[in-house]
Amino acid sequence: MSDPKIVKLLDESSNRSSELPLISGTLGPACIDIGTLYKDTGHFTYDPGYGSTASTKSAITYIDGDQGVLLYRGYPIEQLATNSSFLEVAYLLLNGELPKPAEFAAFEHDVSHHTMLHESLKNFFQGFHHDAHPMAMLAAAVASLSAFYHDDLSVDDPADRKLAAIRLIAKMPTIAAACYRYSVGWPLRYPRNNLEYVDRFLHMMFEVPSEPLQMNPVAAKALDLLFILHADHEQNASTSTVRLVGSTGANPYASIAAGITALWGPAHGGANEAVLKQLEEIGTPDNVESAILRAKDKNDSFRLMGFGHRVYKNFDPRAKIIREMCHKVLAELGVNDPLLDVAMKLEEAALKDDYFVERKLYPNVDFYSGIIYKALGIPTEMFTVMFAIARTAGWIAHWIEQHETPGSRIGRPRQIYTGSDVRDYMPTARR
Ligand code: SDX
């Protein structure tokens, strides 16, 4: 009787074999541990998009793409969206458990008292042209944080790791608001510690010297919910980037800055900005059919932004929550955005079209979020910055988990070499 925990691999051409253990986690598919494969058989595995490859073990987030399930530390995203707050979710992702009242109070105090930036960072923004993309400014400003905290950069010191997590969660909204205000020529605003996390951010974004900002509870609640939904998502491209950079021993600010640049891509976090631009290009529900035709045309690089997902082959559970919230927020804010009609028509047409149905292409987290950001007065170029504020909680939780895992090694994939075979140098005269 063969051992169900072992996968036997035989390479008949070389008659070399390997017995590979099957390892399982709490939930999800078992994995074949291929650590000894090259030694046993002289072969690598090949999986360029990592579609069948687990890069690490993690206890932070679980996704079931077929069932449309998303759990943060075991808690369903739907329950956290209904009952929690972004700061409580950040605590949960970092510490693995929901905080007791005293634990949350201490965490909130720590975050509130690390929101300011070193004063000389204000000059940093002056170096950018006024129309610099805020993601470029954000990545640069976050990377520069390591220039201010020389004494607390030891990746091996748990206290330094915790302090870096607090600083990053606290300062991302301050930096993000500074990027926006610099782009519109407004004076930067200092964080107000008497405000809660999201209100403090909205105040830094929109308060102008000439009049006090009327805080909008609908906007704050909607933004807090969007931050919860974007906080973490397993080993997505930007989180995997943070882990790969972190595996070299790079400091937390450099690792998170790498995650920010990975998130920027339109196939990833940049999709929310791309969705809104695409909805504006489509313009009216009457143009939806031609957009669907273009998305299906293999000779056209056009894709429906906000549709499809590497893991979800069912509705993205976050998209379902955001879709409901979209209608509610626009109604409460009294906003009638024609782009919502275009989005609804696009979703309806795609979900009926065989091309999308066969490929299990459903709306993802980015499809509706831009419409809400727009209703809250967030400019389109800031949409991916919003994603980065939220995802910082997940990124730094993964970075800490990686450094707390004994035996973690530098990530160093191999390749299939397709270049020239060995050849001798050709002198110039003979080329
Ligand atoms: C995020 O990983 C995460 O968890 C990410 C994220 C997170 O929280 O971190 O969930 C956030 O990044 C969400 C995804 C945002 N991106 C977009 O909305 C951009 C549009 N979507 C696609 O580019 C695409 O669907 C991806 C990048 C999301 C997924 O790409 P895959 O898994 O590599 O899929 P694929 O490119 O292999 O596509 C499979 C087929 C192809 O057609 P065939 O070659 O089989 O004929 O589906 C087609 C693709 O052409 N396809 C699309 C499409 N997405 C895939 N066709 C039209 N429009 C699309 N949006």
Side-chain angles (χ1 to χ4, degrees):
M1 177 69 174
S2 63
D3 181 342
K5 296 285 182 220
I6 295 286
V7 170
K8 289 196 172 76
L9 199 75
L10 169 64
D11 174 359
E12 289 177 352
S13 62
S14 65
N15 203 29
R16 293 176 69 177
S17 65
S18 183
E19 294 201 349
L20 303 169
L22 262 182
I23 46 180
S24 297
T26 318
L27 297 168
C31 294
I32 301 172
D33 181 344
I34 57 170
T36 61
L37 183 71
Y38 180 57
K39 179 172 63 63
D40 295 348
T41 67
H43 294 314
F44 295 147
T45 58
Y46 181 62
D47 183 16
Y50 310 114
S52 301
T53 297
S55 59
T56 185
K57 292 179 181 176
S58 177
I60 298 173
T61 291
Y62 174 71
I63 302 171
D64 180 329
D66 295 325
Q67 302 303 317
V69 169
L70 170 57
L71 309 176
Y72 288 167
R73 297 288 189 177
Y75 294 99
I77 191 65
E78 297 82 0
Q79 294 184 27
L80 292 169
T82 305
N83 302 301
S84 191
S85 69
F86 170 69
L87 210 52
E88 183 180 74
V89 163
Y91 180 99
L92 171 66
L93 292 171
L94 282 171
N95 297 287
E97 298 296 338
L98 289 168
K100 295 182 180 65
E103 289 169 328
F104 184 71
F107 182 68
E108 188 169 38
H109 177 275
D110 286 349
V111 169
S112 300
H113 290 77
H114 282 280
T115 50
M116 285 179 69
L117 305 178
H118 194 290
E119 199 63 5
S120 56
L121 238 175
K122 283 172 64 176
N123 309 326
F124 194 89
F125 294 98
Q126 306 304 326
F128 289 103
H129 202 258
H130 70 89
D131 60 357
H133 195 289
M135 281 297 280
M137 292 197 265
L138 182 72
V142 170
S144 78
L145 290 178
S146 46
F148 295 95
Y149 301 118
H150 298 289
D151 303 338
D152 314 311
L153 282 183
S154 166
V155 300
D156 300 321
D157 180 339
D160 281 5
R161 295 199 294 259
K162 180 169 187 282
L163 179 54
I166 295 288
R167 279 177 169 149
L168 281 157
I169 291 169
K171 295 181 195 307
M172 281 299 268
T174 311
I175 296 171
C179 295
Y180 168 64
R181 293 180 77 96
Y182 180 72
S183 71
V184 294
W186 288 354
L188 303 192
R189 267 290 163 273
Y190 289 104
R192 293 263 301 275
N193 290 348
N194 63 324
L195 297 174
E196 292 194 3
Y197 193 84
V198 170
D199 280 332
R200 181 164 59 230
F201 170 66
L202 290 171
H203 180 266
M204 287 190 284
M205 277 287 284
F206 298 121
E207 197 267 349
V208 291
S210 44
E211 59 186 47
L213 178 72
Q214 291 301 317
M215 299 313 283
N216 180 330
V218 173
K221 175 68 185 147
L223 203 46
D224 192 75
L225 177 52
L226 285 169
F227 283 173
I228 290 173
L229 297 174
H230 286 82
D232 193 49
H233 212 238
E234 198 208 67
Q235 303 307 321
N236 58 86
S238 54
T239 301
S240 298
T241 301
V242 169
R243 279 182 171 262
L244 188 58
V245 172
S247 75
T248 70
N251 72 69
Y253 308 106
S255 302
I256 300 303
I260 293 169
T261 49
L263 184 74
W264 195 359
H268 189 15
N272 55 18
E273 177 179 348
V275 165
L276 211 80
K277 287 181 176 164
Q278 197 168 77
L279 290 176
E280 285 164 350
E281 273 171 33
I282 294 170
T284 70
D286 297 341
N287 297 335
V288 159
E289 277 313 314
S290 58
I292 294 277
L293 287 174
R294 281 194 63 193
K296 292 158 58 173
D297 179 355
K298 285 300 165 204
N299 300 317
D300 189 334
S301 61
F302 180 89
R303 283 194 164 183
L304 279 192
M305 302 316 282
F307 270 83
H309 199 278
R310 170 61 56 77
V311 176
Y312 288 124
K313 300 309 173 190
N314 192 324
F315 238 89
D316 181 334
R318 302 166 297 177
K320 274 186 188 169
I321 296 167
I322 294 178
R323 185 179 191 274
E324 285 163 28
M325 186 174 77
C326 202
H327 292 282
K328 186 164 169 282
V329 167
L330 266 62
E332 287 175 342
L333 293 176
V335 170
N336 177 25
D337 187 343
L339 292 183
L340 180 59
D341 301 332
V342 179
M344 297 288 289
K345 178 74 176 168
L346 201 53
E347 181 192 55
E348 179 197 351
L351 295 183
K352 284 190 305 196
D353 187 290
D354 288 346
Y355 173 93
F356 290 85
V357 173
E358 283 160 14
R359 292 168 179 78
K360 300 184 177 179
L361 302 174
Y362 293 92
N364 58 45
V365 68
D366 294 303
F367 186 62
Y368 280 102
S369 53
I371 296 172
I372 298 175
Y373 287 139
K374 181 168 175 272
L376 301 183
I378 310 276
T380 307
E381 286 200 335
M382 282 289 289
F383 289 2
T384 311
V385 172
M386 310 303 285
F387 197 146
I389 293 174
R391 190 53 58 90
T392 294
W395 286 332
I396 195 64
H398 281 271
W399 186 86
I400 286 177
E401 180 181 63
Q402 168 184 45
H403 285 87
E404 288 177 343
T405 305
S408 288
R409 302 168 66 203
I410 187 170
R412 205 289 186 202
R414 300 306 303 272
Q415 62 172 17
I416 292 181
Y417 174 67
T418 57
S420 171
D421 199 342
V422 63
R423 53 184 170 167
D424 295 325
Y425 182 78
M426 184 70 72
T428 311
R430 292 175 45 205
R431 288 177 199 164

